[in-house]
Amino acid sequence: MSKEGLPVLDGTLDAAGLSVAVVTARWNTEICEQMRRNAVAAAREAGVEKLSEAHVMGALELPVVVQEFARTHDAVVALGCVIRGGTPHFDYVCDSVTEGLTRIALDESTPIGNGVLTTNDEQQAIDRAGFADSVEDKGAEAMIAALDAALTLRRIRTQAGLPADQG
């Protein structure tokens, strides 16, 4: 796994005034909950005060709940963990979730942080979930990406004379 190319923000991400939601899958709970804790911490560190949360059973259930939040929030973060098994089910789940989250972002004009891990084994997921000895923190990264995009949309809309929360 590589963090090569990951942008480094200068610590000035000011998300005060943004409303954000986090939707977390329960499948692979320990991994998903670690990512949720880190995503929420990243939101709080950036100044988010209005934070909504929900849980769903698995990754396939993420898009419908994410879509509902996308209608009323400035950004949404989807968190889950899909570990490859011995059947093609992994491919179907990963493709469906990714396509669903992308469609929601475009249809609702709302940034969706995709923090759904798709790994070959549990250790790869642990390495990316933001535990003390992990090499990556995908929950926090998904939150930061969603907040950054929401702030960019706010600037664009303000410059265009639109309400900051509408496209």
Side-chain angles (χ1 to χ4, degrees), residues 39-150:
V40 168
R44 296 292 185 215
E45 186 176 319
V48 171
E49 294 174 17
K50 182 183 178 194
L51 187 113
S52 304
E53 292 191 68
H55 284 80
V56 296
M57 187 59 68
L60 280 176
E61 292 75 36
L62 287 167
V64 69
V65 177
V66 166
Q67 183 172 31
E68 189 64 27
F69 277 130
R71 293 177 177 140
T72 59
H73 288 69
D74 296 306
V76 184
V77 174
L79 302 172
C81 177
V82 184
I83 299 172
R84 186 180 298 279
T87 68
H89 183 71
F90 172 87
D91 298 313
Y92 301 135
V93 171
C94 295
D95 289 347
S96 294
V97 172
T98 301
E99 289 175 20
L101 295 177
T102 300
R103 193 188 89 217
I104 294 162
L106 296 173
D107 290 351
E108 301 296 335
S109 295
T110 302
I112 307 299
N114 185 345
V116 179
L117 299 180
T118 56
T119 64
N120 290 317
D121 56 48
E122 185 177 20
Q123 187 58 53
Q124 285 181 343
I126 291 168
D127 290 343
R128 298 174 72 197
F131 290 100
D133 58 348
S134 295
V135 295
E136 293 181 281
D137 186 350
K138 292 301 183 184
E141 290 173 19
M143 177 59 73
I144 291 165
L147 293 175
D148 182 64

Side-chain angles (χ1 to χ4, degrees), residues 1-16:
M1 282 167 277
S2 171
K3 291 185 86 161
E4 187 174 324
L6 180 67
V8 177
L9 297 178
D10 60 6
T12 61
L13 190 64
D14 180 5

